[in-house]
Amino acid sequence: MKNRATISCDIVSSTALSAESRDILTTKLRGLVKKLTKHFEKEGFYGRILKGDYIECALEEPDVALRVALLIKTFVRSLELPKPKYENKRLKYFKEHGVRIAIAVAPLENYQPVKGVMDGEAIYLSGRALNRKDTYDKQKVIIKKTLYFLSSDQALEDLYETILEMLDVILARCSAKQCEVVFHKLLNKSEVEIAKILKKNQSTINQHSTAAGWNAIYRAVSYFEENIH
């Protein structure tokens, strides 16, 4: 059976956000899903938001799964939400990590996006990976990584888990502005186009791109796209 890709995403410490911020976040995530649906139409992208802070996606073509996952990651990390009236210690985890994401490449035995049906090994693997690492309502939150790769092929899983660990470290060091630039670059926008979108000088975009480690991110994504099956 043909492999498909699923992506499960869980917003970190979403309960620490104010009600206003959660509403804004959900609205922006819906907009993101629409953008991804249009941009990756040829790859058979399907996405949905559950409970306002959990995203599930599927792709007919697994090769763009890492790109999509990083688009979601950098989008959430770049968001500017209203400051809460009362400081919540857990809020720092949202600011630092944004979202935890698990990619799975495996069969998806029952996949009917028109009916909203997504069932099979792939979604089971990606969802289970996040459930094992759930941070909801825990007194002490420990987040060692936020990007996971799952496959029924252990050798494949080991290879891409290593690559995702590297990307996790790189993105953890990125500022919100740097994540915003990486987001647009992942959509194949040129620095000239990004400068116009963000109303910044091209030199500023280039500085953000370099500081974010774009070359390493690009090489990892390109390797994934060329070799995943």
Side-chain angles (χ1 to χ4, degrees):
M1 182 174 288
K2 175 186 174 181
N3 280 341
R4 292 187 174 97
T6 59
I7 306 170
S8 297
C9 315
D10 178 36
I11 302 298
V12 175
S13 296
S14 59
T15 54
L17 297 171
S18 66
E20 179 187 10
S21 290
R22 286 197 296 272
D23 288 343
I24 292 173
L25 174 63
T26 301
T27 299
K28 289 187 176 293
L29 289 177
R30 286 181 182 142
L32 174 64
V33 168
K34 288 182 180 179
K35 180 187 285 287
L36 295 176
T37 301
K38 182 178 180 179
H39 190 83
F40 295 102
E41 182 179 2
K42 291 182 179 179
E43 291 80 10
F45 175 89
Y46 168 73
R48 62 190 181 194
I49 299 171
L50 307 175
K51 299 180 293 184
D53 63 353
Y54 192 89
I55 308 169
E56 286 184 340
C57 308
L59 286 152
E60 291 278 2
E61 302 300 329
D63 58 324
V64 295
L66 179 56
R67 185 180 293 269
V68 170
L70 296 184
L71 278 164
I72 296 171
K73 179 76 166 175
T74 53
F75 178 84
V76 176
R77 286 285 317 282
S78 68
L79 289 177
E80 293 185 7
L81 300 175
K83 292 184 179 180
K85 294 180 180 180
Y86 305 101
E87 189 61 33
N88 187 317
K89 292 182 180 180
R90 291 171 58 93
L91 189 60
K92 70 176 183 178
Y93 298 112
F94 170 77
K95 293 179 179 178
E96 290 174 4
H97 305 290
V99 59
R100 298 179 309 122
I101 301 175
I103 303 169
V105 174
L108 199 57
E109 290 81 0
N110 189 4
Y111 180 51
Q112 302 176 64
V114 175
K115 295 181 179 180
V117 177
M118 193 192 314
D119 189 26
E121 183 181 3
I123 195 65
Y124 173 73
L125 286 173
S126 59
R128 184 179 62 179
L130 291 191
N131 289 336
R132 286 201 306 261
K133 309 291 182 180
D134 188 19
T135 61
Y136 181 78
D137 255 2
K138 289 184 179 178
Q139 291 184 349
K140 187 176 182 181
V141 178
I142 299 175
I143 300 176
K144 294 183 178 180
K145 58 187 291 190
T146 64
L147 297 174
Y148 306 86
F149 181 86
L150 295 307
S151 172
S152 51
D153 183 331
Q154 191 59 51
L156 196 68
E157 182 171 318
D158 291 342
L159 170 62
Y160 289 112
E161 268 285 278
T162 301
I163 292 174
L164 263 63
E165 284 182 13
M166 177 199 72
L167 291 172
D168 218 346
V169 172
I170 291 173
L171 292 175
R173 296 173 179 172
C174 290
S175 67
K177 295 297 184 184
Q178 290 164 2
C179 283
E180 192 172 29
V181 170
V182 171
F183 172 82
H184 289 291
K185 285 209 158 195
L186 287 166
L187 289 172
N188 295 318
K189 302 288 186 184
S190 69
E191 290 188 355
V192 172
E193 291 173 314
I194 298 171
K196 290 180 180 179
I197 293 170
L198 302 183
K199 299 180 181 179
K200 301 287 184 182
N201 294 326
Q202 185 182 348
S203 60
T204 300
I205 302 303
N206 183 261
Q207 288 170 7
H208 285 327
S209 174
T210 301
W214 168 250
N215 286 340
I217 296 170
Y218 174 76
R219 289 180 67 181
V221 170
S222 297
Y223 181 86
F224 188 96
E225 291 178 344
E226 291 167 6
N227 293 280
I228 198 66
H229 56 274

